[in-house]
Every structure is written in structure tokens, then in C-alpha cells.
């Protein structure tokens, strides 16, 4: 993704500090975490914890800072010396596919002249080009490669270079359109290729080519056969396939065939030189980005707040290959890390501690804008799993900041040292209802254990309606409030206007539609308007939940998914077994649903187990069906780009539910009074600044560029949010609020949060005592501090 999106799980008490010995004139801020970073490479990092370390070791081209009045934000150059210059006119021609008169397709970014690695080695524009080539290495298939081709920022030919030589099953209609072929030419060119037919999703039956008959066993999967495309096309249009359905016309029959028949297709070019990728270095301090689609203004800067720069020499030293599998350990230890940011990694002990110290060769020290700031000399991060231990350390003066969990919030809720924060995430209850994997898991679990009931939407709806979110929050994370949608209140839909997404009418409509309140709003009805209806929500409807539990049970029995003697067993995954949030949350969930199914056909048949060993790999564990359910997980990193963030719920590499197919899920949006229909992935591309093709109500094609119209873009986003919610595989649970105690040693720059800078962070943090003075102060208080 062009703007980094990070997997997030609920963490309390992230920050803690232990003063260094002695420390006269030294200011140390240490942060303790319940989980530790495992890979902070710019090319591979996946979680917020990884990113927290990575951002201290480097900077993006642009960043956010306080505005002049310190009541809002502004975008500032960081690694860049200034804002980008439009040089599209210099790259007109077939080589880059740019026509005369186009704008915002090529940008020159002026770089600072004093960029350097921590060892003093200069960094030039060429290093950014080389790093991009390493990021897009087809052999490596780096997790973060899509930051150069997905979302708003799409570098010309970046995806094609990464995926050169790859083929995937592609519908014939897609191939015909891509190559401008007629049906006859299409079959002449590809007819001898092996094919497959997607009858399962179309008719609920599959065709057995051995028995030459339709089966009654529905399979929601592609039916593969040894037949060629020509065989399949003939079967579909003239054989039993033609007889199976009544087509309104030959044209309709042909259209369906082109959509339902697939063949492995070389979607991307063969061998491609990197000089065809739109990242160029005209000189040492100029970087040119050539884009596949126009991008300018705020979203251009926002897409460039992350970085992909790596040290080429160290990067190659970290490479290895085992049994043909590429591996790279860059950014996994002190020895494999190197900084060009304000701090450098001077110590790292996995799952124990790491230390960051000021990087003397950071370009920023010579910038007048940083003069007087960055008082913090060192940052120590310790792994402290137990909440009670962190609280004891904080009260003993060893921690600068400590998060308040449910057992401590009551004692310090009104303390002058307590600060409340609101994040940009929605934490959810998440399922992976992929049938074949669940079937395998239940077979491995033993006789009369059932998991495949999770594939039924009615069951997941019952899980949503049967959860008392308010009580869950009180039991596990009292600072949080229940959540009722995919996006929280901090997500910005229009940065230029300062418009928050959840305040728009279309976003409110998503909420009332999802919770079934639309018919209750209006004059003389239960609610005067959408705001009143939303304010009334609890998300908890036990009576309806029980109805859905019964309906799911009946459907599972009828479909043969479950036997009458079976017991449903849901394996819940958590990062660890020491987190107060996950321990309390798990206990609440077990008790909540045990009560919820009483009086239903699932009473005594719904059980839970827990795998508390997942660490940062919680997302992968669910996608691989190692566990059946997660809770307290979400996504972060795109506060200002909800359009790019939707990729986390749609793209194969990110979404938790691989069983859902966004290519086959159709969505109709009404724009300017006209209905347009396309699949979910097409609409996702439409809101990330791409021109797409959709069907009008009369069946004709229309090209749309909804990103050019802010109102239409927000509307399509809302419709995508609704479609995703309706899957009931990512069920909103609670918001992202937290409370923490700030120690007496440090001061924040602003008392109130200034979005998105919070209270200033490390750059603006100041100290009332150096480390030596702090130790003396704590001793003078008898070694125990009073924060009440």
C-alpha cells in the first residue's frame, strides 16, 4: 500500500521508563512493551510494534508537525528539502505513457544535501532508486513492496517489475479486454490452454466431467478439469452447459461464458529492466517519481511519509537462500540495523530490552526547525509483560509513563497526571470462515467437534448481536466505548476541508443500515434522525441473537455441516497470556456466549479454547486457520486515507478472511442519479484515484473517476464499508481509547491532544530532571511516588 497500513492488537501500558545509572546531564526515556518488535525492516515490517522502532531509525520524505498556532497540523519536508515539483512535461512520450498536456504524473523531489547513514556514509538519490529495486525484487516478494504500486501512489511499472513472469487464473473476458481480441481470436490464441469453470458460485451445482452429469453437492469453489478452454467453451455454449440455463440471448450466453471460464494468464510482462520503473535519480539530490495515474497535493505528500530506504551493503550481507527460498534478516537485530534517523540502535536483546541513542550523523541536527528540541538523549524499551510489575516500577520512579488497565483506572481516573488518548482504530472480533480449512481443523480436533458452523453468516450474526459490548469494555478496557462500524471517529475523509468520515451523512447511513434502524428514523418514528439512532446503539440484542443461533444450528444440520451430537469449538487466538486485556476479554467472551446460547439449540454445545502464543503473528495465525477467531485486533496507519485503508479489508495479502472473494461480490452505487455496478475490487480501485469501468443500468459500460469528486468518493467508500460489514467476518467491537499516567520527570508539549501529533512525541518532550536528578528526587520521596 502506498501509505503503510499496520496490523494492530490491543496493548495496555505500552510506555514505561527506567532511569539509567548516574545520568548527570543525560535525559533518558524508556518504553516498555508487552510484545517486542521482530522485524523493523522498511521492506518487511507488519505491526505497529515493529513500526515504533523503525520510525526512530529513519524518516519519510514528508511528515506532520504543529501548525503556527499549535492547534492543528501542517505537512513539512523531512528527508526532502522542499515540496515536489511537477515535471510531467519532461517525460511525455510512449516510454512512460504520458500524453501532452497531462499533469501530476511525474514529480521531482529535491533531497537534502546532508543525508547520511549513522556511520557517516553519504546518502544520495541513487540510494533511493537502488532501495526501490531491492524492495521490488521479484525473488524476495517483500511484504511492503505494494507501498510503491497500491493505493493512491502508483509508480509506473513497479507492480509489473515485481510480478514479472507471474501468471494467475484470469477470466476470459478480462484477457479479451486487455488484449483487444474478438471471441474468435481469443479462442484461437488461448483455446489449447488448460481451463477451469466457475459453475459452483453461479448455480450452486457442479458438473462432474467424469460422470458427465450435474452433481447436487454445492461447492463454493472453482471446478478444475483437464479440459482445454476450447472444450470448455464448447461445453458451455453448445453442450450440456447451454442446456442447463436459459439464456435471454446468444450475447448474454457469451458474456457469461467469458466471465465464468478461466485460464492461467500471464498478467504481467516477462523480463523487465528496472530502468522501466518510474523511479529515477537525475542527480545526487533529485529523485523523480513517474506515476501510472495522476496524484497531487495532500495525498501525494501523505503517501511519501513512509520510507523504503535501506543500506545496500548491509542489505546484501543479510541475504540468504535455503532450498530455493529467499530470506533477508535486515532490521532484525542490532547487527542488521543501521540508521539515518534521529536515533540509532545501540543495543537489542530479543524479548528483553533495546536501547536507542542519538545518531550524531542525522541530517536534522543542522535544521533550525529542530533547534531546542529532541532533549531526549536515549530511549530504552524493556519487555515487561505483567501489569502489576509495570505499576510497581512506575510508583518507584522507574517508569515515565504507564498505561491504566481495568484494575487501576478507578484509582487514578481523576489524577492530574492521567491523560486520555483516542486512536484511529476500531478493534474487532474477527473470523476466518474458510470451509475447507475449518473442516480440516475440526477433523484434527477429534470426534464430534464442529467448526464449520462458522461458515454460516447467521452464526456470525448471532455472535455479533449476542455480545454485550458495553460490559465487555467495562470488564477488559474501561476507557473504551463500543464500536459499531468499520472506521472510528478519527478517520479523515477530506484533509483539505478537515472533514471526518463518520460525521458525513453517508457514513451515518452505513451504521443505521447495518444495525437495522433505517426504518425507525423520521418524523413520528422512534428516532428523529440518524444521530439519535446511532446514539441509542448498544449492539446487543440477545433475543435476536438467540434466534440466529437457532437458525444457524438448523442450517448446519440441514447442510450436513454439523451432527446432532457435535459440540462447536472455537479456538481464540491472543498474542500472549499475560495481558490483562486479553485475559479478562477471553474470560468475558466465554461467559458471555455460554449465557447467550441458553435456551437455544446450541445450549451446552458452544465451547471455546485459547492459543495465547501468537505474539505478533496473530494475523497470519488466523489466515492460516491456526485459530478460528481473534478479538481486540484492527488496522492503523491511514488516519488521513480511508480510501487506501479499505485495501486492508479487500486485498488478499491483508484481509483476515480469504474465503471472501471481492472479485465476485458485486456492488451498485448511485452517482448523480445513475446506477453503476462493478465488483468490490473495481470500486476499491475507483476510490484510490483510478479510472474504472462499471455497468450502467442499461447494460452499457461507463468509465468513472470518482476520486475526482470528493462527495462521490466518500459515497463509494461508505458503500464499500457496508459491503464489508455485511460479511460479518470483521465485527466491530470497541474503539481505540486509552488512559495513561505520566511520570513527574517528563512534560508533554501540549496538554491536549492535537490531531494527529498527540502531545508532541519524543521530539517535543521535555524533562523536569535529568537522570541523576530524578534518581535523587525519587530517593527523597522514600522511593515511592504519589500520583493520586
Amino acid at each position: 500500500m502506498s501509505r503503510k497500513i499496520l496490523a494492530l492488537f490491543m496493548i495496555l501500558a505500552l510506555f514505561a521508563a527506567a532511569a539509567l545509572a548516574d545520568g548527570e546531564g543525560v535525559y533518558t526515556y524508556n518504553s516498555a512493551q508487552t510484545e517486542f518488535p521482530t522485524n523493523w525492516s522498511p521492506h518487511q515490517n507488519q505491526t505497529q510494534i515493529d513500526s515504533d522502532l523503525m520510525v526512530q531509525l529513519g524518516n519519510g520524505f514528508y511528515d506532520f508537525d504543529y501548525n503556527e498556532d499549535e492547534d492543528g497540523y501542517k505537512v513539512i519536508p523531512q528527508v526532502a528539502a522542499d515540496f515536489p515539483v511537477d515535471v510531467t512535461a519532461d517525460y511525455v512520450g510512449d516510454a512512460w505513457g504520458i500524453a501532452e498536456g497531462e499533469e501530476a504524473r511525474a514529480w521531482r523531489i529535491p533531497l537534502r544535501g546532508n543525508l547520511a547513514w549513522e556511520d557517516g556514509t553519504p546518502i544520495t538519490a541513487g540510494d533511493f532508486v537502488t532501495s526501490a529495486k531491492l524492495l521490488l525484487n521479484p525473488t524476495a516478494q517483500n511484504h511492503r513492496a505494494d507501498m510503491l504500486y497500491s493505493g493512491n501512489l502508483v509508480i509506473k511499472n513497479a507492480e509489473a517489475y515485481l510480478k514479472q513472469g507471474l501468471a494467475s487464473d484470469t477470466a476470459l473476458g478480462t484477457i479479451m479486454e486487455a488484449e483487444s481480441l474478438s471471441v474468435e481470436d481469443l479462442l484461437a490464441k488461448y483455446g489449447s490452454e488448460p481451463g477451469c469453470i466457475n459453475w459452483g458460485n453461479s448455480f450452486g451445482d457442479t458438473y462432474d466431467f467424469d460422470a458427465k452429469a450435474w452433481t447436487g453437492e454445492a461447492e463454493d469453489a472453482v471446478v478444475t478439469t483437464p479440459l482445454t478452454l476450447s472444450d470448455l467453451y464448447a461445453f458451455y455454449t453448445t453442450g450440456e452447459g447451454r442446456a442447463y440455463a436459459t439464456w435471454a440471448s446468444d450475447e448474454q450466453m457469451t458474456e457469461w461464458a467469458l466471465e465464468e471460464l478461466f485460464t492461467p494468464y500471464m498478467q504481467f510482462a516477462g523480463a523487465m529492466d528496472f530502468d522501466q520503473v518510474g523511479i529515477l535519480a537525475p542527480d545526487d539530490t533529485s529523485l523523480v517519481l513517474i506515476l501510472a495515474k495522476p496524484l497531487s497535493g495532500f495525498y501525494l505528500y501523505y503517501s511519501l511519509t513512509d520510507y523504503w530506504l535501506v543500506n545496500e551493503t548491509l542489505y546484501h550481507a543479510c541475504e540468504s537462500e535455503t532450498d530455493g527460498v529467499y530470506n533477508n534478516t535486515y532490521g532484525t537485530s542490532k547487527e542488521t540495523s543501521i540508521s539515518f534517523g534521529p536515533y540509532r540502535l545501540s543495543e537489542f536483546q530479543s524479548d528483553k530490552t533495546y536501547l536507542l541513542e542519538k545518531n550524531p550523523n542525522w541530517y536534522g541536527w543542522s535544521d533550525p526547525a529542530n533547534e531546542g528540541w529532541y532533549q531526549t538523549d536515549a530511549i530504552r524499551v524493556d519487555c515487561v509483560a505483567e501489569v502489576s510489575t509495570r505499576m510497581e516500577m512506575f510508583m518507584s520512579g522507574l517508569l515515565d509513563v504507564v498505561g491504566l488497565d481495568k484494575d487501576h483506572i478507578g484509582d487514578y481516573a481523576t489524577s492530574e497526571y492521567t491523560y486520555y488518548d483516542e486512536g484511529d482504530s476500531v478493534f474487532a472480533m474477527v473470523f476466518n470462515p474458510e470451509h475447507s480449512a475449518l473442516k480440516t481443523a475440526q477433523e484434527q480436533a477429534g470426534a464430534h467437534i464442529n467448526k464449520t458452523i462458522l461458515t454460516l453468516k447467521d452464526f456470525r450474526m448471532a455472535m455479533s448481536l449476542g455480545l454485550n459490548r458495553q460490559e465487555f469494555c467495562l470488564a477488559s478496557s474501561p476507557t473504551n466505548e463500543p464500536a459499531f462500524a468499520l472506521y472510528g471517529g478519527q478517520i479523515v475523509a477530506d484533509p483539505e476541508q478537515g472533514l471526518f468520515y463518520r460525521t458525513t451523512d453517508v457514513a451515518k447511513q452505513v451504521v443505521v443500515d447495518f444495525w437495522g434502524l433505517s426504518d425507525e428514523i423520521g418524523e413520528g418514528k422512534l428516532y428523529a434522525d440518524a444521530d439519535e439512532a446511532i446514539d441509542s446503539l448498544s449492539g446487543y440484542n440477545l433475543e435476536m441473537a438467540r434466534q440466529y443461533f437457532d437458525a444457524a444450528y438448523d442450517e448446519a444440520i440441514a447442510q450436513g455441516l454439523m451432527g446432532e451430537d457435535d459440540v462447536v469449538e472455537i479456538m481464540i487466538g491472543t498474542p500472549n497470556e499475560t495481558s490483562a486485556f486479553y485475559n479478562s476479554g477471553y474470560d468475558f467472551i466465554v461467559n458471555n456466549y455460554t449465557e447467550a446460547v441458553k435456551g437455544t439449540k446450541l445450549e451446552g454445545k458452544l465451547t471455546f479454547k485459547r492459543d495465547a502464543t501468537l505474539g505478533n503473528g496473530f494475523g497470519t495465525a488466523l489466515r492460516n486457520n491456526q485459530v478460528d477467531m481473534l478479538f481486540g485486533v484492527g488496522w492503523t496507519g491511514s488516519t488521513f486515507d480511508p480510501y487506501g485503508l479499505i485495501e486492508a479489508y479487500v486485498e488478499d495479502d491483508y484481509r483476515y478472511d480469504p474465503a471472501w472473494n471481492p472479485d465476485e461480490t458485486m456492488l451498485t452505487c448511485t452517482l448523480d442519479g445513475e446506477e453503476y455496478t462493478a465488483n468490490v475490487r473495481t470500486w476499491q480501485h475507483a476510490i484510490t484515484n483510478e479510472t474504472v469501468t462499471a455497468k450502467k443500468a442499461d447494460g452499457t459500460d461507463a468509465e468513472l473517476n470518482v476520486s475526482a469528486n470528493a462527495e462521490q468518493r466518500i459515497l463509494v467508500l461508505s458503500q464499500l464499508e457496508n459491503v464489508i460489514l455485511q460479511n460479518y467476518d470483521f465485527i466491530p467491537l470497541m474503539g481505540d481509547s486509552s488512559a495513561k499516567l505520566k511520570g513527574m520527570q517528563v512534560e508533554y508539549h501540549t496538554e491536549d491532544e492535537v490531531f494527529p501529533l498527540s502531545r508532541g512525541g519524543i521530539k517535543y518532550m521535555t524533562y523536569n530532571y535529568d537522570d541523576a536528578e530524578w534518581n535523587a528526587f525519587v530517593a527523597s520521596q522514600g522511593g515511592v511516588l504519589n500520583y493520586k
Side-chain angles (χ1 to χ4, degrees), residues 224-269:
T224 58
T225 77
L227 302 184
T228 66
L229 275 178
S230 291
D231 293 333
L232 286 171
Y233 189 82
F235 160 79
Y236 200 115
T237 57
T238 63
E240 293 188 50
R242 174 69 185 269
Y244 186 76
T246 301
W247 308 112
S249 64
D250 286 349
E251 289 76 14
Q252 185 192 57
M253 174 267 297
T254 300
E255 181 180 342
W256 278 65
L258 293 172
E259 291 180 358
E260 299 297 329
L261 300 180
F262 292 75
T263 188
Y265 177 62
M266 191 72 70
Q267 287 186 297
F268 300 94

Side-chain angles (χ1 to χ4, degrees), residues 495-544:
E496 305 290 352
Q497 302 298 321
L499 179 65
F500 289 88
Y501 172 67
R502 285 262 76 91
T503 67
T504 65
D505 290 340
V506 291
K508 293 175 185 177
Q509 192 63 44
V510 170
V511 179
V512 297
D513 286 347
F514 180 66
W515 293 101
L517 299 179
S518 299
D519 293 337
E520 305 294 333
I521 299 172
E523 186 176 352
K525 296 185 178 180
L526 188 58
Y527 306 109
D529 54 31
D531 290 325
E532 187 176 324
I534 292 170
D535 288 342
S536 75
L537 279 173
S538 71
Y540 185 51
N541 188 327
L542 185 57
E543 179 181 357
M544 187 174 291

Side-chain angles (χ1 to χ4, degrees), residues 7 60 85 213 285 363 382-383 420 445 503 540 554 653 710 779:
V85 177
T285 57
Y363 64 84
D382 295 317
C383 192
Y420 295 90
T503 67
Y540 185 51
D554 289 341
D653 292 340

Side-chain angles (χ1 to χ4, degrees), residues 416-430:
E416 65 176 298
Y417 297 99
T418 297
Y419 288 79
Y420 295 90
D421 300 318
E422 182 176 357
D424 63 359
S425 300
V426 165
F427 291 103
M429 181 166 62
V430 187

Side-chain angles (χ1 to χ4, degrees), residues 42-246:
H43 295 181
Q44 289 291 355
N45 72 97
Q46 298 188 37
T47 70
Q48 183 65 53
I49 288 177
D50 293 334
S51 181
D52 288 340
L53 173 53
M54 190 188 87
V55 296
Q56 302 297 343
L57 305 179
N59 303 100
F61 295 103
Y62 302 97
D63 204 354
F64 292 101
D65 204 346
Y66 288 106
N67 64 15
E68 286 69 19
D69 296 326
E70 296 192 342
D71 59 359
Y73 67 87
K74 64 181 179 181
V75 178
I76 61 168
Q78 192 61 275
V79 165
D82 206 338
F83 289 98
V85 177
D86 190 340
V87 291
T88 305
D90 296 341
Y91 296 91
V92 169
D94 293 340
W96 299 110
I98 298 176
E100 289 283 356
E102 282 198 82
E103 298 178 344
R105 286 282 310 278
W107 294 93
R108 180 177 60 81
I109 302 173
L111 303 179
R112 294 175 186 258
N114 61 337
L115 298 176
W117 294 106
E118 64 180 64
D119 62 4
T121 302
I123 296 171
T124 68
D127 294 311
F128 289 91
V129 176
T130 299
S131 295
K133 184 177 181 179
L134 294 171
L135 175 61
L136 295 171
N137 178 2
T139 302
Q141 292 294 305
N142 287 306
H143 182 76
R144 288 291 167 198
D146 64 355
M147 70 188 299
L148 296 182
Y149 65 80
S150 181
N152 289 309
L153 182 76
V154 179
I155 303 295
K156 182 71 174 179
N157 288 332
E159 185 177 17
Y161 180 82
L162 172 72
K163 298 179 179 179
Q164 55 186 294
L166 294 182
S168 63
D169 281 352
T170 307
L172 294 192
T174 301
I175 301 172
M176 188 172 74
E177 181 178 352
E179 299 193 17
S180 301
L181 300 173
S182 65
V183 174
E184 292 76 14
D185 291 340
L186 179 76
L187 292 174
K189 184 172 182 179
Y190 294 103
S192 61
E193 298 294 325
C196 54
I197 184 169
N198 192 19
W199 278 104
N201 287 330
S202 299
F203 296 102
D205 290 342
T206 60
Y207 187 78
D208 186 330
F209 282 88
D210 292 326
K212 303 241 185 293
W214 294 99
T215 72
E217 299 176 4
E219 293 279 350
D220 287 333
V222 170
V223 182
T224 58
T225 77
L227 302 184
T228 66
L229 275 178
S230 291
D231 293 333
L232 286 171
Y233 189 82
F235 160 79
Y236 200 115
T237 57
T238 63
E240 293 188 50
R242 174 69 185 269
Y244 186 76
T246 301

Side-chain angles (χ1 to χ4, degrees), residues 65 70 78 112 358 362-375 749 763-766:
D65 204 346
E70 296 192 342
Q78 192 61 275
R112 294 175 186 258
K358 279 185 175 177
W362 183 47
Y363 64 84
W365 302 132
S366 62
D367 189 336
N370 294 321
E371 188 174 347
W373 304 118
Y374 287 100
Q375 189 177 1
H749 188 61
K763 174 180 178 178
Y764 288 103
M765 185 178 291
T766 57

